[in-house]
Amino acid sequence: MKIAVIGAGLIGTSWAIVFARAGFSVNLTDIDQSRLAAAQEHLARVFHSAGDENAGNLAYCPMSLEAVSGVDLVQECGPEDVALKQCIFAELDRHAPEGAILASSSSSIVASLFTRDLAGRHRCLVAHPLNPPHLAPLVELCGAPWTSPEVIERARDVYDRAGQAPIVINREIEGFVLNRLQAALLAEALRLVGDGVVSAGDLDRTVSEGLGLRWSFLGPFATIELNAPGGIDDYLHRYGSAFRNITAAPPPSDVWEKENIERVVESWGKTRSPEQLAARSAWRDRRLEALRRHKQSQDDSQMKE
Ligand SMILES: NC(=O)c1ccc[n+]([C@@H]2O[C@H](COP(=O)([O-])OP(=O)(O)OC[C@H]3O[C@@H](n4cnc5c(N)ncnc54)[C@H](O)[C@@H]3O)[C@@H](O)[C@H]2O)c1
């Protein structure tokens, strides 16, 4: 399997780790040669410190034309800008091999906005990862109305083989699925803290010491299936009306306004320097790596389904 990763920023560099450690050949490219050189240095360090010899699967290409030669899939990781994605995809569609899948990492721009006029638009889709993809396996696959179902299936197979966890979104929707779930939770959290119901620290602990423990290996449906003796139906029968009452008045849009944000930031009460935030990000990545290894060691495919 051969992959081109276009854009050697935060996400492209992490995708390069995913594909290279799976044993795929990876061509990494960036329009900015200094970014490409920095990525090369970073990746050499990452593979060396992990004692992983798969660094040999990585090639660094100054030109995207050279990067896409002979590839099975292109993972586009350029900036989140629709005009730029249109240019990059037009170039990829012209130069990538006919059978190659063209996937964008876009967090919020649906594929129909940058592939409409392409001859090869049937082979384009969004493959949206969580940051950083080498530590969080989820990837959301979402085609445009004209993306071929066969391409989606082939993409799912590539990400599966790379050790990721692809899901398929059946039609284009703003925020895809992950960010819609995150937005719903964040809006309620902003309301509860902004209204003084709970402190920002205690709200966070509700997830880190409560809900999140189950969520690291069960989704919301698998969770409620176990919270009533008769499964999901039974649970929703018993508790559905309580949840219906709670959700009858959704968080108002002003939870996102300046005044409410100020209340939440005051409740959070911590101001961290960029250096402290970088150190915390590194800590988060170490914890994610440990969790990833733990989950792999506990993998019990019979119980998973
Ligand atoms: N950062 C996140 O948390 C996150 C999460 C999921 C998805 N994404 C998506 O991934 C994509 C990349 O985000 P990022 O955070 O890595 O951005 P980034 O700014 O770190 O990296 C973008 C890179 O693309 C390069 N680039 C610009 N034009 C190019 C071109 N024509 N050809 C090749 N390279 C080019 C830039 O030089 C830069 O190195 C975006 O679409 C973003 O929405 C980001």
Side-chain angles (χ1 to χ4, degrees), residues 212-278:
L213 294 179
R214 292 192 300 229
W215 284 349
S216 68
F217 63 104
L218 294 174
F221 294 125
T223 295
I224 66 171
E225 187 186 33
L226 303 181
N227 283 354
I232 292 182
D233 248 22
D234 185 18
Y235 183 90
L236 291 177
H237 224 78
R238 289 168 192 240
Y239 306 112
S241 62
F243 280 106
R244 185 196 302 231
N245 288 343
I246 293 170
T247 54
S253 62
D254 65 8
V255 297
W256 305 100
E257 300 293 336
K258 188 168 170 280
E259 291 73 24
N260 195 54
I261 294 172
E262 279 169 6
R263 286 193 287 273
V264 171
V265 169
E266 191 189 343
S267 175
W268 185 243
K270 296 174 264 273
T271 37
R272 302 192 213 268
S273 67
E275 294 72 30
Q276 287 170 320
L277 288 174

Side-chain angles (χ1 to χ4, degrees), residues 64-65 68 86-96 118:
S64 59
L65 193 62
V68 299
Q86 281 165 352
C87 290
I88 295 174
F89 267 73
E91 198 185 325
L92 292 176
D93 193 39
R94 267 197 305 277
H95 300 297
L118 303 182

Side-chain angles (χ1 to χ4, degrees), residues 58-72:
L58 286 159
Y60 299 90
C61 309
M63 308 280 292
S64 59
L65 193 62
E66 171 197 347
V68 299
S69 161
V71 299
D72 301 290

